[in-house]
């Protein structure tokens, strides 16, 4: 394991040396890039497929992560700005910037809250050198996803840049390193080391032996053979002993350098493990809090559902009782209406009979009046005798009085019939109004 770690360290140092060689004749320029993520669109697969997404912007170990956003009908919106600070290298002769690769990763959150691994559903490669122009306006793009698991997936974003002053961005770089440990499980590609800021002096410091050994043997080097450190004329037992001693000392220096490298790598591994552990613990705490919140919300929803169901049952019972009362009251009203209609028919028949009686009495009265008038005219037409006797005169007067009395009785009967008819009409009108109401 130590040999493997040592070989990995050597490969890393060789890569740094190669990059340092590439940057000869260039000038380092520090930029801050701001990426505003707008929205993700894709072909919606149905009502049951509404996942949540997260956007990760990665440049080597530097990572910026967005908030989780749910999708609805194939659309997830953020309007959130992510920032990365990187060192770009400008050619001193041409003024062109060297390529600085980064990528945007679209991660789908697991539907099961007990699962923490994110699923990369698409990526977008970005060369930051194309956007490193602080005088240019922000660029808004809608780019289709590479290696996309979403049908017709596109991401809309706006990117801008500005040149950083000396010493700016150190705190942001440290936070980006911590964000990388928290989001490393979502990446499906090989990590790329960002070696910006390393120079040849830093590499020489990491490869040099400890100061104590360097002071003890300032001219010693692990790459040299022991024979060059001895004089050509040395011989005999003391010369062999010196050569063995020198070889042992050089071997001890090599072992101490390896041991120091292993200790540094161990400290780095422990620090990385600590960051990952803290990230996992933080994620577990978030999941536990989310689970507890989901349980509370479900309990509240069940309670609200029970209350609404009980209220619905109460309303149904009340409506049924009102319906029964209305049906009973309707039957009662129907019976009362039928009774009033019968009474109305009876009153109508009585009114018709009274009207017939009034007509008959009026005809009889008219006949009597006509007869009396004829008798009066006949009496007036007869010549008056010279000396009427008292008996005939008294008889005529009695007859006239009897006729007048009969006339008055007939008029009174006619008034009574008319009053009875009016009273029956009033009662009939009242019954009709009651039926209508």
């Amino acid at each position: 394991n130590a040999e493997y770690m040592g070989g990995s360290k050597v490969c890393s140092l060789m890569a740094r040396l190669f990059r340092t060689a590439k940057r000869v004749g260039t000038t380092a320029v520090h930029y801050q890039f701001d990426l505003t993520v707008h929205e993700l669109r894709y072909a919606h697969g149905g009502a049951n497929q509404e996942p949540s997404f997260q956007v990760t912007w990665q440049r080597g170990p530097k990572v910026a992560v967005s908030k989780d956003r749910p999708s609805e009908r194939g659309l997830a919106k953020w309007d959130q700005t992510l920032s990365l600070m990187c060192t770009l290298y400008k050619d001193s002769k041409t003024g062109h910037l060297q390529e600085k690769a980064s990528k945007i990763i679209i991660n789908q959150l697991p539907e099961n809250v007990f699962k923490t691994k994110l699923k990369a559903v698409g990526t977008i490669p970005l060369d930051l050198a194309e956007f490193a122009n602080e005088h240019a306006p922000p660029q808004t793009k809608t780019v289709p996803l590479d290696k996309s698991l979403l049908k017709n997936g596109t991401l809309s974003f706006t990117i801008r840049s500005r040149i950083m002053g000396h010493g700016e961005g150190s705190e942001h770089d440290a936070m980006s390193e911590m964000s990388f440990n928290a989001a490393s499980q979502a990446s499906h590609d090989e990590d790329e080391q960002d070696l910006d800021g390393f120079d040849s002096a830093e590499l020489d410091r990491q490869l040099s032996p400890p100061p104590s050994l360097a002071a003890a043997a300032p001219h010693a080097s692990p790459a040299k053979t022991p024979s060059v450190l001895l004089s050509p004329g040395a011989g005999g037992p003391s010369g062999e002993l010196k050569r063995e001693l020198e070889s042992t000392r050089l071997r001890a220096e090599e072992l101490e350098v390896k041991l120091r490298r292993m200790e540094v790598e161990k400290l780095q591994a422990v620090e990385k493990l600590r960051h990952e552990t803290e990230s996992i613990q933080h994620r577990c705490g978030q999941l536990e809090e989310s689970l507890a919140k989901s349980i509370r919300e479900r309990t509240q929803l069940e309670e609200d559902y029970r209350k609404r169901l009980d209220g619905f049952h109460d309303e149904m019972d009340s409506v049924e009782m009102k319906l029964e009362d209305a049906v009973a009251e309707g039957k009662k009203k129907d019976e009362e209406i039928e009774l009033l209609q019968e009474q109305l028919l009876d009153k109508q028949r009585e009114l018709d009979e009274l009207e017939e009686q009034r007509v008959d009495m009026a005809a009889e009265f008219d006949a009597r009046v006509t007869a009396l008038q004829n008798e009066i005219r006949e009496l007036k037409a007869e010549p008056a005798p010279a000396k009427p006797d008292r008996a005939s005169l008294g008889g005529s007067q009695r007859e006239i009085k009897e006729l007048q009395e009969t006339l008055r009785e007939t008029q009174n009967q006619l008034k009574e019939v008319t009053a009875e008819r009016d009273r029956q009409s009033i009662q009939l009108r009242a019954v009709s109004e009651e039926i209508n109401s």
Side-chain angles (χ1 to χ4, degrees):
N1 188 21
E3 292 179 356
Y4 171 77
M5 294 178 65
S8 175
K9 188 69 173 180
V10 171
C11 292
S12 176
L13 293 175
M14 291 298 294
R16 293 177 184 179
L17 289 172
F18 177 72
R19 294 192 178 202
T20 303
K22 282 180 59 179
R23 293 166 183 168
V24 174
T26 61
T27 303
V29 184
H30 300 283
Y31 278 90
Q32 174 179 326
F33 295 91
D34 296 325
L35 179 75
T36 301
V37 183
H38 297 304
E39 62 183 21
L40 170 69
R41 290 184 178 272
Y42 60 94
H44 185 242
N48 296 328
Q49 298 182 5
E50 302 288 356
S52 297
F53 295 96
Q54 177 193 87
V55 178
T56 301
W57 188 21
Q58 179 178 344
R59 162 62 195 167
K62 298 180 181 179
V63 172
V65 182
S66 73
K67 296 181 180 179
D68 302 343
R69 285 290 184 269
S71 63
E72 182 177 359
R73 298 185 178 275
L75 176 63
K77 293 185 177 181
W78 280 271
D79 291 327
Q80 180 182 355
T81 301
L82 309 178
S83 299
L84 285 181
M85 297 182 183
C86 299
T87 302
L88 276 68
Y89 292 88
K90 180 186 295 185
D91 192 300
S92 301
K93 295 181 180 180
T94 63
H96 294 162
L97 293 171
Q98 293 184 356
E99 178 183 357
K100 182 69 67 170
S102 70
K103 59 184 174 182
I104 302 174
I105 305 173
I106 310 299
N107 296 316
Q108 179 178 331
L109 275 66
E111 297 181 358
N112 191 340
V113 296
F114 296 101
K115 295 182 180 180
T116 59
K117 187 175 182 180
L118 303 179
K119 179 182 179 182
V121 296
T123 60
I124 297 176
L126 283 182
D127 181 9
L128 299 182
E130 297 180 3
F131 308 98
N133 187 351
E134 64 177 347
H135 301 294
Q139 302 184 41
T140 301
K141 294 180 175 291
T142 299
V143 183
L145 304 181
D146 287 348
K147 304 177 183 178
S148 176
L149 300 181
L150 301 176
K151 185 178 179 181
N152 301 330
T154 60
L155 182 70
S156 299
F157 59 88
T158 300
I159 186 168
R160 62 180 63 85
S161 65
R162 71 181 183 93
I163 297 178
M164 304 292 295
H166 180 70
E168 287 188 89
S170 58
E171 180 180 357
H172 187 278
D173 289 345
M175 294 181 65
S176 297
E177 294 286 348
M178 294 178 66
S179 299
F180 172 72
N181 292 329
S184 60
Q185 59 182 351
S187 175
H188 292 268
D189 300 325
E190 295 182 358
D191 292 339
E192 178 188 4
Q193 291 186 342
D194 190 347
L195 305 178
D196 298 337
F198 285 96
D199 52 15
S200 58
E202 178 66 17
L203 296 177
D204 293 340
R205 185 189 65 78
Q206 294 191 9
L207 292 173
S208 62
S212 60
L213 295 180
H219 301 291
S221 174
K224 296 180 180 180
T225 60
S227 59
V228 299
L229 297 177
L230 301 176
S231 62
S238 63
E240 293 178 358
L241 184 59
K242 288 180 180 180
R243 284 194 298 272
E244 291 178 359
L245 181 60
E246 187 69 12
S247 177
T248 302
R249 186 178 62 81
L250 294 176
R251 181 62 177 168
E253 289 177 356
E254 292 177 355
L255 292 175
E256 188 170 355
V257 171
K258 288 184 178 180
L259 180 62
R260 183 182 175 189
R261 291 178 178 174
M262 292 173 62
E263 290 177 351
V264 172
E265 292 170 355
K266 179 182 177 181
L267 291 176
Q268 292 177 349
V270 170
E271 186 67 13
K272 182 178 180 180
L273 181 61
R274 184 179 65 82
H275 284 305
E276 292 178 351
T277 303
E278 291 177 354
S279 175
I280 293 174
Q281 291 176 351
H282 180 66
R283 181 62 175 170
C284 290
Q286 290 180 340
L287 293 175
E288 291 176 354
E289 183 178 356
S290 177
L291 179 61
K293 182 179 179 181
S294 299
I295 293 175
R296 290 194 299 269
E297 291 178 350
R298 179 180 177 181
T299 304
Q300 184 64 34
L301 288 174
E302 291 178 351
E303 184 67 23
D304 294 341
Y305 174 76
R306 283 196 295 269
K307 290 181 179 179
R308 293 180 62 185
L309 187 61
D310 294 339
F312 177 78
H313 287 317
D314 294 339
E315 291 178 357
M316 287 294 296
D317 295 338
S318 176
V319 170
E320 290 177 356
M321 292 177 62
K322 289 181 179 179
L323 182 60
E324 293 175 357
D325 295 339
V327 171
E329 186 175 358
K331 292 180 178 179
K332 184 177 179 181
K333 290 291 184 182
D334 292 340
E335 294 175 356
E336 292 178 356
I337 290 173
E338 291 177 357
L339 180 60
L340 290 174
Q341 289 177 347
E342 292 177 357
Q343 293 178 359
L344 179 62
L345 292 176
D346 295 337
K347 295 294 183 181
Q348 187 68 39
R349 285 193 293 270
E350 292 178 2
L351 182 61
D352 294 338
E353 292 175 358
L354 289 175
E355 184 66 18
E356 292 176 358
Q357 292 178 5
R358 185 188 69 80
V359 171
D360 295 338
M361 292 180 68
E364 185 179 357
F365 174 77
D366 292 336
R368 289 185 180 182
V369 169
T370 302
L372 289 174
Q373 289 177 351
N374 292 331
E375 289 180 0
I376 291 173
R377 280 195 297 270
E378 290 176 358
L379 292 175
K380 288 182 177 181
E382 292 178 358
K387 290 183 178 180
D389 56 346
R390 290 183 177 271
S392 60
L393 183 60
S396 299
Q397 289 179 351
R398 283 195 301 272
E399 187 176 358
I400 291 173
K401 288 180 179 180
E402 289 176 359
L403 291 174
Q404 290 177 349
E405 184 68 24
T406 303
L407 180 61
R408 281 195 296 272
E409 289 178 358
T410 304
Q411 289 177 347
N412 291 334
Q413 290 179 0
L414 183 60
K415 289 180 180 180
E416 289 176 358
V417 170
T418 303
E420 181 66 20
R421 187 193 63 177
D422 294 336
R423 185 176 63 81
Q424 293 290 339
S425 298
I426 293 172
Q427 290 181 355
L428 183 61
R429 189 161 46 250
V431 171
S432 298
E433 290 176 355
E434 185 177 1
I435 291 175
N436 293 331
S437 63

